[in-house]
Amino acid sequence: MNLFYSYLPFLLFAFVASITPGPTNILILTSSQRFGIKATLPAVVSACVAASLIVFISGAGAVNNCQLSQLNHNAPAQLITSRT
């Protein structure tokens, strides 16, 4: 039961994000209508790569910030123990 409540906000966000027509979705829809599906495939692949990079870079930044936060949090304790 607790696991369900942990994943519920993520699932709701993922559902809303997948059905919300963002600028990339509208661009791909318009391009596929105008030029055809085959000509639009590079734009689809580019959009997927860009979204993956954004997630990867954000995750890497979050990990870096967490590590820095831990280092900063433990710094006063290390100073105290090194003096004694």
Side-chain angles (χ1 to χ4, degrees), residues 1-82:
M1 191 70 154
N2 192 15
L3 187 64
F4 174 73
Y5 288 115
S6 297
Y7 284 116
L8 183 63
F10 170 74
L11 292 173
L12 289 173
F13 172 77
F15 175 71
V16 169
S18 68
I19 63 170
T20 304
T24 306
N25 293 345
I26 293 173
L27 174 73
I28 289 174
L29 218 105
T30 304
S31 180
S32 64
Q33 272 186 331
R34 185 175 289 172
F35 303 114
I37 294 174
K38 206 172 194 179
T40 308
L41 283 178
V44 172
V45 171
S46 300
C48 291
V49 169
S52 299
L53 280 174
I54 289 171
V55 169
F56 176 74
I57 291 169
S58 298
V63 167
N64 190 21
N65 285 339
C66 289
Q67 288 173 348
L68 286 176
S69 175
Q70 274 186 330
L71 288 175
N72 290 337
H73 181 68
N74 292 336
Q78 291 172 351
L79 286 174
I80 292 171
T81 56
S82 66

